[in-house]
Amino acid sequence: MASRKHNLKHRYGITEDDYHEMVEKQQCKCKICGSQPSRPLFVDHCHKTKQVRGLLCHQCNVALGHMNDDPIRMERAANYLRSA
């Protein structure tokens, strides 16, 4: 538990209380897909500004990472899926 507290503060600049407030505000749901995963939500942040954006499920968090947090690339992927 101590390593989690350290990780939240060191990597994202938030406390465990901040994290729990975010979970409550998001009603325990992923900020992108709205799922309510059984595992804890992941802290999503901008790699350039280090600003925390929200909490995501594992799949959405990984998807953003694979797309290099690039909104244009994400839009192109969405358009591709719509056209298929």
Side-chain angles (χ1 to χ4, degrees):
M1 188 66 91
S3 64
R4 178 179 167 83
K5 287 180 184 181
H6 174 77
N7 191 36
L8 288 172
K9 193 64 172 174
H10 178 72
R11 293 184 76 186
Y12 309 113
I14 63 173
T15 65
E16 196 166 17
D17 287 341
D18 294 333
Y19 174 84
H20 291 296
E21 284 178 32
M22 292 172 69
V23 169
E24 284 182 33
K25 185 177 180 180
Q26 289 183 210
Q27 299 176 336
C28 302
K29 296 178 183 175
C30 172
K31 201 161 187 178
I32 291 177
C33 72
S35 70
Q36 200 167 10
S38 57
R39 295 174 21 181
L41 293 163
F42 291 81
V43 178
D44 176 51
H45 69 289
C46 174
H47 290 263
K48 291 179 184 175
T49 67
K50 308 296 184 203
Q51 185 74 31
V52 172
R53 295 185 285 219
L55 303 177
L56 305 178
C57 69
H58 176 72
Q59 290 176 319
C60 288
N61 190 47
V62 169
L64 287 183
H66 283 293
M67 292 286 185
N68 296 319
D69 291 350
D70 183 347
I72 294 170
R73 194 172 189 187
M74 296 290 291
E75 287 173 15
R76 287 180 179 161
N79 289 334
Y80 168 78
L81 290 173
R82 285 185 197 103
S83 69

